[in-house]
Amino acid sequence: KGEDWEEGFASGLLHSLCFFPLLSYGATAPLAEIPEENLPTAIGAGWEVRPAGRDRFRGSDGDAEDNLFKEMMIAVSLLERRQELDRHREVSPSDDEDEDDIADIEVAFPVLVGRPHPAGHPRYPGMSDFFGIQGGGGRYPDTPSPASARSAADFLQRRAGFGPEGVEATLKRGVAATVKALTALQGCKLWEVPSSLMEADLSKSQKELAGRGYAGPPVDLEGIPLLPEQKRRCLGGLDEGQLQRLKAQVLYHLPAFHEIIDRAVLAQRER
């Protein structure tokens, strides 16, 4: 049985200093619409109608709730409130505003994940950049996704003490604006590593992950066309070589995560 979204995930944002959203093809493609007239071309290029088995957003009442997107909305709203409080404190430093019920989230640091190149690709086992695959060939709607927006706004009102203005702002925030608020931040670009980076050793349990899941969309990226066999490999899980590189990439960027956490702790102490 999966953990309850509100208790297990959304509420965690209210007790966190940092938000590290993992943004990948599987996370963002369901949030982006492909207009009907563009579907034949998109499908021919390798993009999916239902990425990760989920219907795509249209920014309309027909959209299903998306738990990851709701967390993104909540985090963006909490960060905006923190920034507003800090600006208010700069103007009126003597105010003794009670912040006991204010979430402590200080910073968002998105982890941007590209598509691992399949075996046989000249850049295997490296990774493409995220920006070539985000949205899965679609476009994020400028309008809100009503079901997710209502759920996020309700949570913020009940659990984070948001007033009418904050609730209204959440309800009106479009899908594109929410995604951009996070992807525009300084984050971890997982593919940016030295060319000399050595693959990391895998534990037994990590090796067992080989072949599971979905590696990424079978589309041509960075000007290099995929062969039919390489497209087939994209539809399967990561192989051991890709997993070794992925682990090495995460370990390479680990100091950046520690730096973000240290900065958030320092900012809270100085407040």
Side-chain angles (χ1 to χ4, degrees):
K1 181 180 179 181
E3 190 168 11
D4 178 79
W5 167 77
E6 181 170 316
E7 293 304 323
F9 299 96
S11 295
L13 290 172
L14 301 180
H15 306 286
S16 300
L17 288 177
C18 306
F19 178 52
F20 297 104
L22 190 67
L23 301 182
S24 63
Y25 168 78
T28 62
L31 311 181
E33 176 186 16
I34 299 179
E36 291 289 338
E37 62 271 20
N38 296 345
L39 274 177
T41 300
I43 294 172
W47 301 114
E48 299 175 288
V49 176
R50 299 187 73 248
R54 292 144 63 195
D55 291 330
R56 288 175 177 266
F57 275 3
R58 294 182 178 273
S60 64
D61 287 325
D63 293 352
E65 287 189 30
D66 186 287
N67 287 346
L68 173 61
F69 183 67
K70 290 190 292 184
E71 289 180 48
M72 292 166 65
M73 293 192 73
I74 291 168
V76 168
S77 295
L78 291 174
L79 284 166
E80 286 185 349
R81 181 170 68 171
R82 169 54 65 198
Q83 291 163 0
E84 290 173 3
L85 289 169
D86 287 345
R87 285 193 294 268
H88 177 75
R89 185 180 295 104
E90 290 177 2
V91 175
S92 305
S94 61
D95 282 6
D96 294 326
E97 185 173 2
D98 183 5
E99 294 188 21
D100 287 346
D101 295 328
I102 302 300
D104 289 328
I105 189 168
E106 294 282 352
V107 63
F109 190 69
V111 183
L112 306 180
V113 184
R115 185 204 68 194
H117 295 303
H121 190 283
R123 296 176 183 169
Y124 170 87
M127 178 183 289
S128 75
D129 70 54
F130 162 77
F131 299 101
I133 61 166
Q134 69 157 330
R139 181 179 181 276
Y140 304 120
D142 292 323
T143 52
S145 187
S148 294
R150 285 193 296 267
S151 180
D154 175 69
F155 174 86
L156 289 166
Q157 183 178 40
R158 289 186 295 103
R159 302 292 296 273
F162 269 52
E165 287 187 9
V167 168
E168 187 68 12
T170 301
L171 289 171
K172 289 183 176 180
R173 183 175 290 114
V175 177
T178 300
V179 177
K180 184 178 179 180
L182 292 173
T183 58
L185 297 173
Q186 175 191 2
C188 170
K189 298 177 180 178
L190 208 56
W191 63 92
E192 290 191 347
V193 294
S195 58
S196 59
L197 184 71
M198 300 293 291
E199 276 69 46
D201 292 332
L202 300 176
S203 67
K204 180 180 178 182
S205 60
Q206 290 167 346
K207 288 180 180 180
E208 292 173 352
L209 297 174
R212 298 185 184 181
Y214 176 69
V219 295
D220 298 338
L221 299 172
E222 302 173 0
I224 301 176
L226 292 179
L227 300 174
E229 177 61 19
Q230 293 167 352
K231 292 183 178 181
R232 186 191 65 78
R233 287 171 179 157
C234 283
L235 297 173
L238 301 184
D239 62 30
E240 277 199 27
Q242 291 169 319
L243 287 171
Q244 288 174 324
R245 174 56 64 92
L246 179 61
K247 182 176 180 179
Q249 289 168 318
V250 172
L251 292 175
Y252 175 81
H253 288 287
L254 199 57
F257 291 92
H258 289 300
E259 180 182 349
I260 292 297
I261 295 170
D262 289 344
R263 279 166 43 190
V265 171
L266 181 61
Q268 186 191 49
R269 289 175 178 172
E270 292 179 344
R271 179 167 291 114

mmCIF file with all atom_site columns, all heavy atoms in Angstrom, residues 195-221:
data_model
loop_
_atom_site.group_PDB
_atom_site.id
_atom_site.type_symbol
_atom_site.label_atom_id
_atom_site.label_alt_id
_atom_site.label_comp_id
_atom_site.label_asym_id
_atom_site.label_entity_id
_atom_site.label_seq_id
_atom_site.pdbx_PDB_ins_code
_atom_site.Cartn_x
_atom_site.Cartn_y
_atom_site.Cartn_z
_atom_site.occupancy
_atom_site.B_iso_or_equiv
_atom_site.pdbx_formal_charge
_atom_site.auth_seq_id
_atom_site.auth_comp_id
_atom_site.auth_asym_id
_atom_site.auth_atom_id
_atom_site.pdbx_PDB_model_num
ATOM 1   N N   . SER A 1 195 ? 34.446 14.756  -18.429 1.00 0.00 ? 195 SER A N   1
ATOM 2   C CA  . SER A 1 195 ? 34.482 13.639  -19.378 1.00 0.00 ? 195 SER A CA  1
ATOM 3   C C   . SER A 1 195 ? 35.298 12.469  -18.843 1.00 0.00 ? 195 SER A C   1
ATOM 4   O O   . SER A 1 195 ? 35.135 11.327  -19.273 1.00 0.00 ? 195 SER A O   1
ATOM 5   C CB  . SER A 1 195 ? 35.062 14.107  -20.715 1.00 0.00 ? 195 SER A CB  1
ATOM 6   O OG  . SER A 1 195 ? 36.369 14.643  -20.529 1.00 0.00 ? 195 SER A OG  1
ATOM 7   N N   . SER A 1 196 ? 36.191 12.765  -17.894 1.00 0.00 ? 196 SER A N   1
ATOM 8   C CA  . SER A 1 196 ? 37.047 11.723  -17.314 1.00 0.00 ? 196 SER A CA  1
ATOM 9   C C   . SER A 1 196 ? 36.386 10.995  -16.145 1.00 0.00 ? 196 SER A C   1
ATOM 10  O O   . SER A 1 196 ? 37.017 10.126  -15.533 1.00 0.00 ? 196 SER A O   1
ATOM 11  C CB  . SER A 1 196 ? 38.358 12.349  -16.837 1.00 0.00 ? 196 SER A CB  1
ATOM 12  O OG  . SER A 1 196 ? 38.112 13.360  -15.864 1.00 0.00 ? 196 SER A OG  1
ATOM 13  N N   . LEU A 1 197 ? 35.132 11.347  -15.833 1.00 0.00 ? 197 LEU A N   1
ATOM 14  C CA  . LEU A 1 197 ? 34.465 10.729  -14.689 1.00 0.00 ? 197 LEU A CA  1
ATOM 15  C C   . LEU A 1 197 ? 34.405 9.214   -14.843 1.00 0.00 ? 197 LEU A C   1
ATOM 16  O O   . LEU A 1 197 ? 33.958 8.692   -15.873 1.00 0.00 ? 197 LEU A O   1
ATOM 17  C CB  . LEU A 1 197 ? 33.047 11.282  -14.548 1.00 0.00 ? 197 LEU A CB  1
ATOM 18  C CG  . LEU A 1 197 ? 32.247 10.786  -13.330 1.00 0.00 ? 197 LEU A CG  1
ATOM 19  C CD1 . LEU A 1 197 ? 32.806 11.393  -12.056 1.00 0.00 ? 197 LEU A CD1 1
ATOM 20  C CD2 . LEU A 1 197 ? 30.757 11.157  -13.486 1.00 0.00 ? 197 LEU A CD2 1
ATOM 21  N N   . MET A 1 198 ? 34.839 8.500   -13.825 1.00 0.00 ? 198 MET A N   1
ATOM 22  C CA  . MET A 1 198 ? 34.823 7.034   -13.844 1.00 0.00 ? 198 MET A CA  1
ATOM 23  C C   . MET A 1 198 ? 33.487 6.530   -13.319 1.00 0.00 ? 198 MET A C   1
ATOM 24  O O   . MET A 1 198 ? 32.883 7.123   -12.423 1.00 0.00 ? 198 MET A O   1
ATOM 25  C CB  . MET A 1 198 ? 35.954 6.491   -12.972 1.00 0.00 ? 198 MET A CB  1
ATOM 26  C CG  . MET A 1 198 ? 37.345 6.923   -13.417 1.00 0.00 ? 198 MET A CG  1
ATOM 27  S SD  . MET A 1 198 ? 37.819 6.215   -15.024 1.00 0.00 ? 198 MET A SD  1
ATOM 28  C CE  . MET A 1 198 ? 37.986 4.479   -14.555 1.00 0.00 ? 198 MET A CE  1
ATOM 29  N N   . GLU A 1 199 ? 33.022 5.420   -13.889 1.00 0.00 ? 199 GLU A N   1
ATOM 30  C CA  . GLU A 1 199 ? 31.786 4.819   -13.408 1.00 0.00 ? 199 GLU A CA  1
ATOM 31  C C   . GLU A 1 199 ? 31.966 4.318   -11.978 1.00 0.00 ? 199 GLU A C   1
ATOM 32  O O   . GLU A 1 199 ? 33.052 3.898   -11.580 1.00 0.00 ? 199 GLU A O   1
ATOM 33  C CB  . GLU A 1 199 ? 31.364 3.647   -14.314 1.00 0.00 ? 199 GLU A CB  1
ATOM 34  C CG  . GLU A 1 199 ? 30.575 4.057   -15.541 1.00 0.00 ? 199 GLU A CG  1
ATOM 35  C CD  . GLU A 1 199 ? 31.415 4.825   -16.548 1.00 0.00 ? 199 GLU A CD  1
ATOM 36  O OE1 . GLU A 1 199 ? 32.540 4.386   -16.845 1.00 0.00 ? 199 GLU A OE1 1
ATOM 37  O OE2 . GLU A 1 199 ? 30.945 5.881   -17.020 1.00 0.00 ? 199 GLU A OE2 1
ATOM 38  N N   . ALA A 1 200 ? 30.889 4.381   -11.210 1.00 0.00 ? 200 ALA A N   1
ATOM 39  C CA  . ALA A 1 200 ? 30.933 3.945   -9.812  1.00 0.00 ? 200 ALA A CA  1
ATOM 40  C C   . ALA A 1 200 ? 30.563 2.472   -9.704  1.00 0.00 ? 200 ALA A C   1
ATOM 41  O O   . ALA A 1 200 ? 29.774 1.956   -10.512 1.00 0.00 ? 200 ALA A O   1
ATOM 42  C CB  . ALA A 1 200 ? 29.967 4.795   -8.980  1.00 0.00 ? 200 ALA A CB  1
ATOM 43  N N   . ASP A 1 201 ? 31.123 1.818   -8.712  1.00 0.00 ? 201 ASP A N   1
ATOM 44  C CA  . ASP A 1 201 ? 30.766 0.426   -8.469  1.00 0.00 ? 201 ASP A CA  1
ATOM 45  C C   . ASP A 1 201 ? 29.351 0.347   -7.909  1.00 0.00 ? 201 ASP A C   1
ATOM 46  O O   . ASP A 1 201 ? 28.915 1.212   -7.146  1.00 0.00 ? 201 ASP A O   1
ATOM 47  C CB  . ASP A 1 201 ? 31.749 -0.207  -7.471  1.00 0.00 ? 201 ASP A CB  1
ATOM 48  C CG  . ASP A 1 201 ? 33.134 -0.361  -8.059  1.00 0.00 ? 201 ASP A CG  1
ATOM 49  O OD1 . ASP A 1 201 ? 33.249 -0.492  -9.298  1.00 0.00 ? 201 ASP A OD1 1
ATOM 50  O OD2 . ASP A 1 201 ? 34.114 -0.337  -7.283  1.00 0.00 ? 201 ASP A OD2 1
ATOM 51  N N   . LEU A 1 202 ? 28.639 -0.705  -8.274  1.00 0.00 ? 202 LEU A N   1
ATOM 52  C CA  . LEU A 1 202 ? 27.269 -0.904  -7.810  1.00 0.00 ? 202 LEU A CA  1
ATOM 53  C C   . LEU A 1 202 ? 27.225 -1.977  -6.737  1.00 0.00 ? 202 LEU A C   1
ATOM 54  O O   . LEU A 1 202 ? 27.959 -2.962  -6.799  1.00 0.00 ? 202 LEU A O   1
ATOM 55  C CB  . LEU A 1 202 ? 26.363 -1.325  -8.970  1.00 0.00 ? 202 LEU A CB  1
ATOM 56  C CG  . LEU A 1 202 ? 26.228 -0.365  -10.150 1.00 0.00 ? 202 LEU A CG  1
ATOM 57  C CD1 . LEU A 1 202 ? 25.378 -1.005  -11.243 1.00 0.00 ? 202 LEU A CD1 1
ATOM 58  C CD2 . LEU A 1 202 ? 25.623 0.957   -9.707  1.00 0.00 ? 202 LEU A CD2 1
ATOM 59  N N   . SER A 1 203 ? 26.355 -1.772  -5.770  1.00 0.00 ? 203 SER A N   1
ATOM 60  C CA  . SER A 1 203 ? 26.114 -2.819  -4.777  1.00 0.00 ? 203 SER A CA  1
ATOM 61  C C   . SER A 1 203 ? 25.260 -3.911  -5.419  1.00 0.00 ? 203 SER A C   1
ATOM 62  O O   . SER A 1 203 ? 24.726 -3.744  -6.525  1.00 0.00 ? 203 SER A O   1
ATOM 63  C CB  . SER A 1 203 ? 25.390 -2.236  -3.564  1.00 0.00 ? 203 SER A CB  1
ATOM 64  O OG  . SER A 1 203 ? 24.078 -1.824  -3.937  1.00 0.00 ? 203 SER A OG  1
ATOM 65  N N   . LYS A 1 204 ? 25.111 -5.014  -4.726  1.00 0.00 ? 204 LYS A N   1
ATOM 66  C CA  . LYS A 1 204 ? 24.312 -6.113  -5.251  1.00 0.00 ? 204 LYS A CA  1
ATOM 67  C C   . LYS A 1 204 ? 22.874 -5.676  -5.508  1.00 0.00 ? 204 LYS A C   1
ATOM 68  O O   . LYS A 1 204 ? 22.290 -5.978  -6.553  1.00 0.00 ? 204 LYS A O   1
ATOM 69  C CB  . LYS A 1 204 ? 24.325 -7.288  -4.266  1.00 0.00 ? 204 LYS A CB  1
ATOM 70  C CG  . LYS A 1 204 ? 23.503 -8.487  -4.748  1.00 0.00 ? 204 LYS A CG  1
ATOM 71  C CD  . LYS A 1 204 ? 23.552 -9.630  -3.745  1.00 0.00 ? 204 LYS A CD  1
ATOM 72  C CE  . LYS A 1 204 ? 22.698 -10.803 -4.219  1.00 0.00 ? 204 LYS A CE  1
ATOM 73  N NZ  . LYS A 1 204 ? 22.702 -11.927 -3.227  1.00 0.00 ? 204 LYS A NZ  1
ATOM 74  N N   . SER A 1 205 ? 22.298 -4.935  -4.564  1.00 0.00 ? 205 SER A N   1
ATOM 75  C CA  . SER A 1 205 ? 20.912 -4.493  -4.725  1.00 0.00 ? 205 SER A CA  1
ATOM 76  C C   . SER A 1 205 ? 20.785 -3.487  -5.870  1.00 0.00 ? 205 SER A C   1
ATOM 77  O O   . SER A 1 205 ? 19.758 -3.456  -6.566  1.00 0.00 ? 205 SER A O   1
ATOM 78  C CB  . SER A 1 205 ? 20.393 -3.872  -3.419  1.00 0.00 ? 205 SER A CB  1
ATOM 79  O OG  . SER A 1 205 ? 21.167 -2.748  -3.050  1.00 0.00 ? 205 SER A OG  1
ATOM 80  N N   . GLN A 1 206 ? 21.813 -2.670  -6.065  1.00 0.00 ? 206 GLN A N   1
ATOM 81  C CA  . GLN A 1 206 ? 21.779 -1.709  -7.174  1.00 0.00 ? 206 GLN A CA  1
ATOM 82  C C   . GLN A 1 206 ? 21.878 -2.419  -8.518  1.00 0.00 ? 206 GLN A C   1
ATOM 83  O O   . GLN A 1 206 ? 21.224 -2.018  -9.490  1.00 0.00 ? 206 GLN A O   1
ATOM 84  C CB  . GLN A 1 206 ? 22.895 -0.688  -7.005  1.00 0.00 ? 206 GLN A CB  1
ATOM 85  C CG  . GLN A 1 206 ? 22.670 0.267   -5.843  1.00 0.00 ? 206 GLN A CG  1
ATOM 86  C CD  . GLN A 1 206 ? 23.902 1.068   -5.476  1.00 0.00 ? 206 GLN A CD  1
ATOM 87  O OE1 . GLN A 1 206 ? 25.016 0.760   -5.899  1.00 0.00 ? 206 GLN A OE1 1
ATOM 88  N NE2 . GLN A 1 206 ? 23.717 2.103   -4.666  1.00 0.00 ? 206 GLN A NE2 1
ATOM 89  N N   . LYS A 1 207 ? 22.672 -3.467  -8.600  1.00 0.00 ? 207 LYS A N   1
ATOM 90  C CA  . LYS A 1 207 ? 22.779 -4.227  -9.842  1.00 0.00 ? 207 LYS A CA  1
ATOM 91  C C   . LYS A 1 207 ? 21.442 -4.864  -10.213 1.00 0.00 ? 207 LYS A C   1
ATOM 92  O O   . LYS A 1 207 ? 21.132 -5.032  -11.395 1.00 0.00 ? 207 LYS A O   1
ATOM 93  C CB  . LYS A 1 207 ? 23.845 -5.314  -9.705  1.00 0.00 ? 207 LYS A CB  1
ATOM 94  C CG  . LYS A 1 207 ? 25.270 -4.783  -9.673  1.00 0.00 ? 207 LYS A CG  1
ATOM 95  C CD  . LYS A 1 207 ? 26.272 -5.924  -9.546  1.00 0.00 ? 207 LYS A CD  1
ATOM 96  C CE  . LYS A 1 207 ? 27.698 -5.401  -9.524  1.00 0.00 ? 207 LYS A CE  1
ATOM 97  N NZ  . LYS A 1 207 ? 28.693 -6.486  -9.391  1.00 0.00 ? 207 LYS A NZ  1
ATOM 98  N N   . GLU A 1 208 ? 20.657 -5.193  -9.199  1.00 0.00 ? 208 GLU A N   1
ATOM 99  C CA  . GLU A 1 208 ? 19.360 -5.823  -9.456  1.00 0.00 ? 208 GLU A CA  1
ATOM 100 C C   . GLU A 1 208 ? 18.358 -4.863  -10.090 1.00 0.00 ? 208 GLU A C   1
ATOM 101 O O   . GLU A 1 208 ? 17.303 -5.281  -10.564 1.00 0.00 ? 208 GLU A O   1
ATOM 102 C CB  . GLU A 1 208 ? 18.790 -6.379  -8.149  1.00 0.00 ? 208 GLU A CB  1
ATOM 103 C CG  . GLU A 1 208 ? 19.591 -7.559  -7.604  1.00 0.00 ? 208 GLU A CG  1
ATOM 104 C CD  . GLU A 1 208 ? 19.122 -7.998  -6.223  1.00 0.00 ? 208 GLU A CD  1
ATOM 105 O OE1 . GLU A 1 208 ? 18.275 -7.284  -5.635  1.00 0.00 ? 208 GLU A OE1 1
ATOM 106 O OE2 . GLU A 1 208 ? 19.602 -9.042  -5.740  1.00 0.00 ? 208 GLU A OE2 1
ATOM 107 N N   . LEU A 1 209 ? 18.681 -3.567  -10.107 1.00 0.00 ? 209 LEU A N   1
ATOM 108 C CA  . LEU A 1 209 ? 17.806 -2.580  -10.736 1.00 0.00 ? 209 LEU A CA  1
ATOM 109 C C   . LEU A 1 209 ? 17.946 -2.581  -12.255 1.00 0.00 ? 209 LEU A C   1
ATOM 110 O O   . LEU A 1 209 ? 17.101 -2.007  -12.952 1.00 0.00 ? 209 LEU A O   1
ATOM 111 C CB  . LEU A 1 209 ? 18.124 -1.179  -10.210 1.00 0.00 ? 209 LEU A CB  1
ATOM 112 C CG  . LEU A 1 209 ? 17.890 -0.932  -8.712  1.00 0.00 ? 209 LEU A CG  1
ATOM 113 C CD1 . LEU A 1 209 ? 18.389 0.457   -8.338  1.00 0.00 ? 209 LEU A CD1 1
ATOM 114 C CD2 . LEU A 1 209 ? 16.411 -1.069  -8.386  1.00 0.00 ? 209 LEU A CD2 1
ATOM 115 N N   . ALA A 1 210 ? 19.007 -3.205  -12.772 1.00 0.00 ? 210 ALA A N   1
ATOM 116 C CA  . ALA A 1 210 ? 19.241 -3.213  -14.217 1.00 0.00 ? 210 ALA A CA  1
ATOM 117 C C   . ALA A 1 210 ? 18.059 -3.851  -14.946 1.00 0.00 ? 210 ALA A C   1
ATOM 118 O O   . ALA A 1 210 ? 17.546 -4.899  -14.546 1.00 0.00 ? 210 ALA A O   1
ATOM 119 C CB  . ALA A 1 210 ? 20.527 -3.965  -14.531 1.00 0.00 ? 210 ALA A CB  1
ATOM 120 N N   . GLY A 1 211 ? 17.634 -3.202  -15.995 1.00 0.00 ? 211 GLY A N   1
ATOM 121 C CA  . GLY A 1 211 ? 16.545 -3.739  -16.821 1.00 0.00 ? 211 GLY A CA  1
ATOM 122 C C   . GLY A 1 211 ? 15.163 -3.375  -16.344 1.00 0.00 ? 211 GLY A C   1
ATOM 123 O O   . GLY A 1 211 ? 14.172 -3.678  -17.020 1.00 0.00 ? 211 GLY A O   1
ATOM 124 N N   . ARG A 1 212 ? 15.059 -2.729  -15.185 1.00 0.00 ? 212 ARG A N   1
ATOM 125 C CA  . ARG A 1 212 ? 13.740 -2.365  -14.670 1.00 0.00 ? 212 ARG A CA  1
ATOM 126 C C   . ARG A 1 212 ? 13.357 -0.958  -15.120 1.00 0.00 ? 212 ARG A C   1
ATOM 127 O O   . ARG A 1 212 ? 14.203 -0.110  -15.360 1.00 0.00 ? 212 ARG A O   1
ATOM 128 C CB  . ARG A 1 212 ? 13.722 -2.417  -13.147 1.00 0.00 ? 212 ARG A CB  1
ATOM 129 C CG  . ARG A 1 212 ? 13.992 -3.789  -12.561 1.00 0.00 ? 212 ARG A CG  1
ATOM 130 C CD  . ARG A 1 212 ? 13.839 -3.760  -11.049 1.00 0.00 ? 212 ARG A CD  1
ATOM 131 N NE  . ARG A 1 212 ? 14.190 -5.034  -10.437 1.00 0.00 ? 212 ARG A NE  1
ATOM 132 C CZ  . ARG A 1 212 ? 14.128 -5.275  -9.138  1.00 0.00 ? 212 ARG A CZ  1
ATOM 133 N NH1 . ARG A 1 212 ? 13.738 -4.310  -8.311  1.00 0.00 ? 212 ARG A NH1 1
ATOM 134 N NH2 . ARG A 1 212 ? 14.467 -6.457  -8.655  1.00 0.00 ? 212 ARG A NH2 1
ATOM 135 N N   . GLY A 1 213 ? 12.066 -0.735  -15.200 1.00 0.00 ? 213 GLY A N   1
ATOM 136 C CA  . GLY A 1 213 ? 11.571 0.610   -15.479 1.00 0.00 ? 213 GLY A CA  1
ATOM 137 C C   . GLY A 1 213 ? 11.719 1.016   -16.920 1.00 0.00 ? 213 GLY A C   1
ATOM 138 O O   . GLY A 1 213 ? 11.614 0.202   -17.845 1.00 0.00 ? 213 GLY A O   1
ATOM 139 N N   . TYR A 1 214 ? 12.015 2.287   -17.116 1.00 0.00 ? 214 TYR A N   1
ATOM 140 C CA  . TYR A 1 214 ? 11.983 2.901   -18.440 1.00 0.00 ? 214 TYR A CA  1
ATOM 141 C C   . TYR A 1 214 ? 13.143 3.883   -18.528 1.00 0.00 ? 214 TYR A C   1
ATOM 142 O O   . TYR A 1 214 ? 13.254 4.800   -17.724 1.00 0.00 ? 214 TYR A O   1
ATOM 143 C CB  . TYR A 1 214 ? 10.634 3.614   -18.596 1.00 0.00 ? 214 TYR A CB  1
ATOM 144 C CG  . TYR A 1 214 ? 10.428 4.389   -19.869 1.00 0.00 ? 214 TYR A CG  1
ATOM 145 C CD1 . TYR A 1 214 ? 10.294 3.734   -21.097 1.00 0.00 ? 214 TYR A CD1 1
ATOM 146 C CD2 . TYR A 1 214 ? 10.338 5.770   -19.848 1.00 0.00 ? 214 TYR A CD2 1
ATOM 147 C CE1 . TYR A 1 214 ? 10.083 4.446   -22.258 1.00 0.00 ? 214 TYR A CE1 1
ATOM 148 C CE2 . TYR A 1 214 ? 10.125 6.495   -21.011 1.00 0.00 ? 214 TYR A CE2 1
ATOM 149 C CZ  . TYR A 1 214 ? 9.998  5.823   -22.208 1.00 0.00 ? 214 TYR A CZ  1
ATOM 150 O OH  . TYR A 1 214 ? 9.777  6.532   -23.363 1.00 0.00 ? 214 TYR A OH  1
ATOM 151 N N   . ALA A 1 215 ? 14.018 3.696   -19.505 1.00 0.00 ? 215 ALA A N   1
ATOM 152 C CA  . ALA A 1 215 ? 15.220 4.525   -19.600 1.00 0.00 ? 215 ALA A CA  1
ATOM 153 C C   . ALA A 1 215 ? 14.919 5.931   -20.102 1.00 0.00 ? 215 ALA A C   1
ATOM 154 O O   . ALA A 1 215 ? 15.528 6.897   -19.661 1.00 0.00 ? 215 ALA A O   1
ATOM 155 C CB  . ALA A 1 215 ? 16.250 3.859   -20.506 1.00 0.00 ? 215 ALA A CB  1
ATOM 156 N N   . GLY A 1 216 ? 13.990 6.056   -21.026 1.00 0.00 ? 216 GLY A N   1
ATOM 157 C CA  . GLY A 1 216 ? 13.697 7.384   -21.553 1.00 0.00 ? 216 GLY A CA  1
ATOM 158 C C   . GLY A 1 216 ? 13.110 7.323   -22.942 1.00 0.00 ? 216 GLY A C   1
ATOM 159 O O   . GLY A 1 216 ? 13.040 6.258   -23.560 1.00 0.00 ? 216 GLY A O   1
ATOM 160 N N   . PRO A 1 217 ? 12.676 8.458   -23.470 1.00 0.00 ? 217 PRO A N   1
ATOM 161 C CA  . PRO A 1 217 ? 12.003 8.462   -24.772 1.00 0.00 ? 217 PRO A CA  1
ATOM 162 C C   . PRO A 1 217 ? 12.952 8.094   -25.907 1.00 0.00 ? 217 PRO A C   1
ATOM 163 O O   . PRO A 1 217 ? 14.101 8.543   -25.938 1.00 0.00 ? 217 PRO A O   1
ATOM 164 C CB  . PRO A 1 217 ? 11.517 9.915   -24.900 1.00 0.00 ? 217 PRO A CB  1
ATOM 165 C CG  . PRO A 1 217 ? 12.481 10.700  -24.071 1.00 0.00 ? 217 PRO A CG  1
ATOM 166 C CD  . PRO A 1 217 ? 12.825 9.818   -22.914 1.00 0.00 ? 217 PRO A CD  1
ATOM 167 N N   . PRO A 1 218 ? 12.491 7.286   -26.867 1.00 0.00 ? 218 PRO A N   1
ATOM 168 C CA  . PRO A 1 218 ? 13.336 6.884   -27.999 1.00 0.00 ? 218 PRO A CA  1
ATOM 169 C C   . PRO A 1 218 ? 13.361 7.950   -29.088 1.00 0.00 ? 218 PRO A C   1
ATOM 170 O O   . PRO A 1 218 ? 12.923 7.735   -30.227 1.00 0.00 ? 218 PRO A O   1
ATOM 171 C CB  . PRO A 1 218 ? 12.663 5.598   -28.472 1.00 0.00 ? 218 PRO A CB  1
ATOM 172 C CG  . PRO A 1 218 ? 11.215 5.818   -28.170 1.00 0.00 ? 218 PRO A CG  1
ATOM 173 C CD  . PRO A 1 218 ? 11.184 6.624   -26.880 1.00 0.00 ? 218 PRO A CD  1
ATOM 174 N N   . VAL A 1 219 ? 13.856 9.129   -28.725 1.00 0.00 ? 219 VAL A N   1
ATOM 175 C CA  . VAL A 1 219 ? 13.885 10.249  -29.675 1.00 0.00 ? 219 VAL A CA  1
ATOM 176 C C   . VAL A 1 219 ? 15.332 10.629  -29.974 1.00 0.00 ? 219 VAL A C   1
ATOM 177 O O   . VAL A 1 219 ? 16.237 10.361  -29.185 1.00 0.00 ? 219 VAL A O   1
ATOM 178 C CB  . VAL A 1 219 ? 13.133 11.479  -29.103 1.00 0.00 ? 219 VAL A CB  1
ATOM 179 C CG1 . VAL A 1 219 ? 11.660 11.156  -28.931 1.00 0.00 ? 219 VAL A CG1 1
ATOM 180 C CG2 . VAL A 1 219 ? 13.737 11.928  -27.780 1.00 0.00 ? 219 VAL A CG2 1
ATOM 181 N N   . ASP A 1 220 ? 15.538 11.243  -31.130 1.00 0.00 ? 220 ASP A N   1
ATOM 182 C CA  . ASP A 1 220 ? 16.870 11.709  -31.502 1.00 0.00 ? 220 ASP A CA  1
ATOM 183 C C   . ASP A 1 220 ? 17.186 12.971  -30.710 1.00 0.00 ? 220 ASP A C   1
ATOM 184 O O   . ASP A 1 220 ? 16.406 13.925  -30.696 1.00 0.00 ? 220 ASP A O   1
ATOM 185 C CB  . ASP A 1 220 ? 16.924 12.017  -33.003 1.00 0.00 ? 220 ASP A CB  1
ATOM 186 C CG  . ASP A 1 220 ? 16.652 10.791  -33.865 1.00 0.00 ? 220 ASP A CG  1
ATOM 187 O OD1 . ASP A 1 220 ? 16.837 9.669   -33.356 1.00 0.00 ? 220 ASP A OD1 1
ATOM 188 O OD2 . ASP A 1 220 ? 16.263 10.971  -35.035 1.00 0.00 ? 220 ASP A OD2 1
ATOM 189 N N   . LEU A 1 221 ? 18.335 12.976  -30.051 1.00 0.00 ? 221 LEU A N   1
ATOM 190 C CA  . LEU A 1 221 ? 18.739 14.118  -29.229 1.00 0.00 ? 221 LEU A CA  1
ATOM 191 C C   . LEU A 1 221 ? 20.143 14.559  -29.603 1.00 0.00 ? 221 LEU A C   1
ATOM 192 O O   . LEU A 1 221 ? 20.968 13.746  -30.034 1.00 0.00 ? 221 LEU A O   1
ATOM 193 C CB  . LEU A 1 221 ? 18.689 13.752  -27.739 1.00 0.00 ? 221 LEU A CB  1
ATOM 194 C CG  . LEU A 1 221 ? 17.335 13.351  -27.162 1.00 0.00 ? 221 LEU A CG  1
ATOM 195 C CD1 . LEU A 1 221 ? 17.502 12.840  -25.737 1.00 0.00 ? 221 LEU A CD1 1
ATOM 196 C CD2 . LEU A 1 221 ? 16.365 14.529  -27.192 1.00 0.00 ? 221 LEU A CD2 1
#
